[in-house]
Amino acid sequence: MARRPLPRILSSGTASLARGRDFARTAADSATDVLHPLLVIGRGLRVLAATGRRKWSETPRDKRGPALFLGAACVLVVALVPYGPLLALITLMAAAAWHGRDRTPAKTGPSDTEAERLGSLYEALVPYFSIPDDPSPLFAHGGEWDKAFSGYEFDEAGRITRLHIRYPAYFTDGEAASRTRIEALLHAKSGRGREYLFDWDEEGNRLDLSVLPALPTGIAAQPFVTSPGESVLGFTDSGTVQRTLPVLEGDQPRDIPPVVWRTGPRSTEPHLLAVGHPGSGTSTLLRSLALQALRHGGDVLIVDGGGSGEYACLTGRNGVLAVECGPVGAVATLEWAAQETERRLIAIHRAREAGRPAPEDTRRPLWILLDQPSVLAHLAVAEGGPDPMHHLQVPLRHGRPAHVTVAVAEQFGHLEVLHDAVWQHTRARIVLGPAAIQQITDVLGLPPHTTPTAQVPPGRGYARLGTGPVHRLQVPATPDPYDEGTHPAHRQAVLDLLPERQQGPAPGAALAKAFQGQPAAPAVAAAAEAPDA
């Protein structure tokens, strides 16, 4: 027997159902607000009726007759008095409203469990916030915790979500080690598995602890509202940046604060280094940057040291010059990139000497994306060939005025293989995945203001641009569209952003010559031999 098709409302997705539920919820809330007085009066009438039935059942049988006669007489008197029925109705409604009011007692202080938790936390802080010579200690064993904790909030499970702490002025809050000890203690006593933000006010001797909400993980790759030269690294907490972007999280439009990385000649952080463990999302970050660069008309070179094929979707696309996975191709690609950087610098210099604007081909952004270059360096050295990372020094040192941007993704275990030029010229730093505070500090130069958790989703980490603050970061979901183990909607979003396949010969004739061992940048020699214009 043939199966009957599902109804249209069930087979066309969940967007209409979600909108219907939201509309019904909004209508119910509005109706509740409008009908609230009637609901209160109805609840009061129900209370009065129940009270009347209870009184009648408690009345002896021999007294029910006189009670009925007395009630009938009262009703007759009310009916004969001028405005009696109206006054009786008003009195009944007032009594019903009074008995139907919300009698939930207002919470004026912590419960016994919450007070016990605050007292335990207070006792744990005594050894750190007290000295023996203090004549009137704020923290003392057996002391009053409400003098030190000026504000607190708890969640439904009874765990602390916000805490305001006053500490003595002699506490060494200017030392990172002292602050780290307090933060580690509060993290352990307030509940693990959550991320806490610590806001130190050294001037006022106050510490504010708050639990940060989880960053959204459902934002897929999409055309972000940015200008050329701007790339969205990910999204962060509200209030930490002065900008929001309209994005779609599933089917719902939202305004999310982004971490925007600005590249180009005017950038102070022209190159980027992303570090993480396997599966932390560094490849996802590079794919996101590649799609954004292609959308703004840039050229992209990709060197996949891991050889996992996660960038195969970009092969042969418009704007993608090459996707290399082997040491020979990586050496040729980076050699061409170095010579292309030099060619651009020469062309820009001669144009400025002649008083002309820079040529158009030198202003087209060139992105060099390297994923795990240490693997290729090891293979090249093992085969007796040159180190491909040696050719990366020219784009790193001189790429900013030539519109050349380098983004390197590496794992924690291979950081010692990276050249000094990478550490010196990658002023935009990202750490993804679970990592210790010391590891994050070594890469970013500053410790985060939050407590990293042991379990984080892919693409979750921290970012720091130059000498700026450390931001929490969630990279937009940009999986390999050919990986069937990822979310279908996220894979389709990446496919929708991919440029068209190239028509005609392979891209980059100079790059093709470099792969064949011929001079990779003949334009350099031509520019050197040409007379000054």
Side-chain angles (χ1 to χ4, degrees):
M1 180 183 296
R3 296 179 59 184
R4 298 180 59 184
L6 292 173
R8 179 180 179 86
I9 190 173
L10 297 179
S11 60
S12 60
T14 59
S16 59
L17 292 176
R19 287 194 297 269
R21 286 195 297 267
D22 294 340
F23 177 77
R25 188 180 298 109
T26 303
D29 294 341
S30 301
T32 301
D33 294 338
V34 173
L35 301 178
H36 180 69
L38 297 180
L39 296 176
V40 172
I41 292 176
R43 185 165 57 246
L45 291 175
R46 187 168 63 251
V47 172
L48 292 177
T51 303
R53 287 195 301 270
R54 187 176 66 256
K55 293 290 186 182
W56 179 257
S57 61
E58 294 176 354
T59 303
R61 292 183 177 274
D62 57 343
K63 296 183 179 180
R64 290 182 178 181
L68 286 176
F69 178 78
L70 180 61
C74 292
V75 170
L76 180 62
V77 171
V78 170
L80 296 177
V81 173
Y83 303 104
L86 180 60
L87 294 176
L89 180 62
I90 293 175
T91 303
L92 179 63
M93 294 297 103
W98 175 258
H99 286 85
R101 72 188 188 280
D102 187 9
R103 300 185 181 184
T104 303
K107 185 177 180 180
T108 58
S111 62
D112 295 340
T113 304
E114 295 172 352
E116 183 179 357
R117 183 180 290 270
L118 291 174
S120 175
L121 186 59
Y122 174 84
E123 292 290 336
L125 291 172
V126 169
Y128 301 92
F129 285 150
S130 64
I131 58 176
D133 298 336
D134 191 351
S136 179
L138 182 61
F139 284 82
H141 291 294
E144 299 178 359
W145 58 261
D146 54 349
K147 294 182 179 179
F149 300 156
S150 57
Y152 44 84
E153 294 180 9
F154 292 85
D155 58 8
E156 294 79 3
R159 297 193 300 176
I160 296 175
T161 58
R162 185 176 297 275
L163 184 64
H164 303 279
I165 304 174
R166 295 175 53 239
Y167 57 86
Y170 51 76
F171 175 72
T172 56
D173 52 7
E175 299 178 2
S178 301
R179 294 198 303 269
T180 301
R181 287 194 297 268
I182 297 299
E183 293 174 1
L185 173 65
L186 293 175
H187 182 205
K189 293 295 184 180
S190 300
R192 299 184 183 273
R194 301 183 296 175
E195 196 162 2
Y196 296 88
L197 173 65
F198 298 97
D199 186 10
W200 290 86
D201 181 11
E202 291 87 351
E203 184 178 1
N205 300 321
R206 295 180 182 274
L207 170 60
D208 292 340
L209 176 148
S210 58
V211 177
L212 294 175
L215 294 176
T217 59
I219 301 177
Q222 53 192 282
F224 299 116
V225 184
T226 55
S227 59
E230 292 183 344
S231 300
V232 176
L233 299 178
F235 300 94
T236 185
D237 300 296
S238 59
T240 58
V241 294
Q242 300 179 352
R243 180 178 178 179
T244 59
L245 282 183
V247 297
L248 287 177
E249 185 178 2
D251 295 330
Q252 300 297 327
R254 296 183 59 185
D255 287 339
I256 306 294
V259 178
V260 178
W261 175 37
R262 294 174 176 84
T263 57
R266 298 181 181 274
S267 173
T268 58
E269 303 88 21
H271 308 298
L272 178 138
L273 173 63
V275 183
H277 293 288
S280 59
T282 54
S283 300
T284 296
L285 174 63
L286 292 188
R287 268 192 301 270
S288 176
L289 292 177
L291 293 177
Q292 296 181 61
L294 294 172
R295 176 173 172 266
H296 289 300
D299 292 331
V300 178
L301 282 174
I302 300 176
V303 177
D304 183 10
S308 58
E310 294 189 356
Y311 303 94
C313 61
L314 297 171
T315 303
R317 303 283 180 174
N318 288 327
V320 181
L321 302 183
V323 178
E324 285 298 330
C325 302
V328 177
V331 171
T333 299
L334 296 181
E335 183 181 358
W336 179 89
Q339 296 186 10
E340 172 66 12
T341 304
E342 295 173 351
R343 184 197 69 82
R344 292 187 176 205
L345 291 176
I346 294 174
I348 293 173
H349 177 67
R350 293 196 170 183
R352 289 175 179 175
E353 285 183 342
R356 299 193 306 268
E360 182 66 27
D361 60 341
T362 63
R363 289 181 290 174
R364 183 179 176 87
L366 174 62
W367 287 72
I368 306 173
L369 308 179
L370 297 95
D371 193 352
Q372 301 184 41
S374 61
V375 178
L376 291 179
H378 176 75
L379 293 177
V381 173
E383 295 177 359
D387 186 358
M389 296 295 292
H390 175 73
H391 301 289
L392 195 62
Q393 298 184 21
V394 175
L396 284 172
R397 293 176 178 175
H398 310 291
R400 185 179 67 169
H403 293 270
V404 177
T405 302
V406 179
V408 181
E410 192 51 87
Q411 297 182 7
F412 275 107
H414 302 154
L415 293 182
E416 67 278 0
V417 185
L418 294 179
H419 284 214
D420 293 338
V422 176
W423 291 105
Q424 293 174 3
H425 299 283
T426 53
R427 292 174 49 83
R429 303 283 181 85
I430 293 178
V431 175
L432 297 180
I437 294 181
Q438 188 58 44
Q439 290 179 314
I440 300 174
T441 305
D442 293 340
V443 176
L444 303 183
L446 281 180
H449 294 290
T450 63
T451 53
T453 56
Q455 301 293 332
V456 294
R460 173 68 177 82
Y462 298 91
R464 188 188 183 200
L465 303 179
T467 58
V470 178
H471 299 285
R472 285 207 308 167
L473 183 73
Q474 178 63 51
V475 178
T478 316
D480 179 10
Y482 300 153
D483 184 6
E484 297 182 355
T486 57
H487 197 286
H490 296 170
R491 289 192 285 117
Q492 185 60 42
V494 175
L495 291 174
D496 295 340
L497 293 177
L498 289 175
E500 297 293 333
R501 294 283 183 181
Q502 294 180 358
Q503 303 295 332
L511 189 55
K513 292 182 180 180
F515 294 155
Q516 301 172 4
Q518 301 181 10
V524 177
E529 296 176 359
D532 293 343

